[in-house]
Structure formats: structure tokens, C-alpha cells
Amino acid sequence: MSDPLAQAASSGFHDAGAYDAYRPSYTDAAVTGFLSHLDSLAVAEDRKQWPLKIVEIGAGTGKFTEALSRQAVQSAAKNAEKQAQILAVEPHEQMRAQLAAKSLPHVTVVNGHGSDLSMVEDGTADAVIVAQAFHWFANIDALKEIHRVLRPGAFVGVIWNIEDYNKPAAWPAKTAWEQGLNDIIYSLALDGSPRFRDGQWQKAFEEVAQATADHPALYSPLEDDCVYWTVQLTPEALWKRLLTLSQIANLPETGSNDDKEAADSTTQPTSRATVRRRFDAVLARDDVVRNDKGEVTIHALTFFAWTKKIQV
């Protein structure tokens, strides 16, 4: 089966080092809350089946894999017999190399993607996790393949860090200036790539949770929760975080319309230079509050959802 890695992801995430350095990690509260719904490492002390096998799809540079590895180390430290095996599956070559170089305990890094987990035997995974990536392959083929590798009654969980500047349009921002950044994101040209904020990723789950005359339901109805958090960043660190968004990363550094876009803020940005000018204008607003280090507070949440495999 061919690698379905979207072109926008392939090119937008080519600088895996920047992605790893500037994308946010996951809070302990979010990790614990999420894993508790998957009957996974967060409640591993109560498990009777060991070793625990977790498959993480779209592991990227390992932002969530690091959290899984820490949980596995803690579990093994309490009881040497309670070992966890984490299979980190990632199709993007540069990201996979970045993750493999970390040599995380209990983690094996492999090439693969959501629709092809041929390296995993049927019914052997105690949980399948997708962090910050399911929107890239939210389709029936992937959910069928995940269903194949899960043991009966096991869970698949999806999780995203969502800052206010990159939130769905219907979600209210905590501050007016963060809404200003969100408006910039929505002013960018659509590139046809799926994203969390468009909400389309949920449709695949809805389809596989509904039984029809031709197809039984594969999963229970999707459930979700979230954990709110904040982070303090300098404007430059915030800009570097925005540059890890493929919609901005794939823009040229400068463009032939830069002068026009500088004079008319209603025109669609066609270069990173225009996006940077508009970013700087938002950060210069009077309502932006800074601490004594010059940092601004970014509001965000970690959204996670989960569903259980129904044996068919």
C-alpha cells in the first residue's frame, strides 16, 4: 500500500528540528486524563495483561511519544514485570529520524502510516494512539486497519494541542489579540489539506460507529474531553511556533504582491513576509499584555477523544 503522506505535510514539516523545538509538548494533566480513558499506561497498575503494547501512529518527532516513554519507565520502575512496548509509526522521513535519534526507552520507531500497519499482528495492540495527526488520514481504511490490530475491547484515542491562534472558527478566543492571530490563519489560502479545525476528522469515526445492513459497527460512539493550559512565549518564539504550521511554512519567503499586501490588510497573504507583518501588527496592539520578560500568554487546550473496538 502506498504512503498517503499529504504533500502539504511532506513539505511543510521538512524542518523536523524546528517542529520539535517549537511545537508545544503535552501537560501531565492532559496525558494522564487522556490515557485514563484508554485503559492504558495511566492506569497500568490495575492491568492483568503484560507486557502492554501501544501503537502510536503519526508519531512525528515524538512530542507525545516522549510522554508515553516516561509513563512506561515509571511503570517498570514500580514493577519490573510490568513492561510496556511502544511502537512509534511515522511516514515522514525527517521526523522519523528526529524521533529515532532520541532513543526513547521502551520505544521502537518504524516507517508506516495509518492505512498500513502491516508490522503489527492482528488483535495484539492494547491501545492505538494518534497525537496531532489523525486529521491527515481520517478515513475508513485507516480505522479498519486500526480495528484489525487492536485486541478485543481495546481503545483508539486521538489527541491535539490547540492554541487559540489555530482554533476552529466557532471557538471563542480568550483574548481579542489572539483572535487577531486566528483571523490571520483563516485569511490564508486554502491548500486542500485537512486540519483539526475543520472538524472533518470526526466523520470517519461517525461512519464506523454506525451499523448498517451491509456493515456492522466497528467502534463505540466517540467520546471526548479537554484540558486547558497556558504558556508564556516571547513574540519571536511565538512566530517560530506559527512557522511550524504547514499553511505558513509552505508559503514563499517573499512574493511579488508584498507591496500591495502591505498597503491593503484585507488582501490574502501570499508570502511569509506578509504574514510576519500582520503578526507584528497584532503583537503591537495595546491589549497585548506582557510579563517582565516581554513574554505574552498564549491560551490553549488539549482536546482528546476515544472509542472502543467492537469485535465483529
Side-chain angles (χ1 to χ4, degrees), residues 40-63:
S40 193
L41 280 165
V43 289
E45 293 304 309
D46 298 327
R47 293 188 61 84
K48 297 180 181 178
Q49 182 177 334
W50 293 92
L52 185 70
K53 184 173 184 177
I54 296 175
V55 177
E56 185 189 0
I57 308 172
T61 62
K63 304 298 283 190

Side-chain angles (χ1 to χ4, degrees), residues 209-239:
Q210 294 176 355
T212 68
D214 298 322
H215 303 285
L218 298 181
Y219 296 92
S220 62
L222 195 68
E223 300 180 73
D224 62 69
D225 200 353
C226 66
V227 172
Y228 291 90
W229 50 274
T230 60
V231 63
Q232 284 69 47
L233 297 172
T234 64
E236 192 60 29
L238 176 56
W239 171 245

Side-chain angles (χ1 to χ4, degrees), residues 162-166 173-182 228-239 241-242 279 282-283 285 287-301:
I162 304 297
E163 294 98 334
D164 271 10
Y165 62 77
N166 196 31
K174 294 296 189 299
T175 65
W177 73 266
E178 286 172 290
Q179 181 58 54
L181 293 184
N182 194 224
Y228 291 90
W229 50 274
T230 60
V231 63
Q232 284 69 47
L233 297 172
T234 64
E236 192 60 29
L238 176 56
W239 171 245
R241 185 167 288 193
L242 264 68
F279 169 88
V282 170
L283 268 293
R285 287 169 43 162
D287 61 331
V288 178
V289 178
R290 305 169 189 264
N291 63 18
D292 56 5
K293 297 179 181 179
E295 299 168 327
V296 296
T297 298
I298 306 302
H299 295 86
L301 61 81

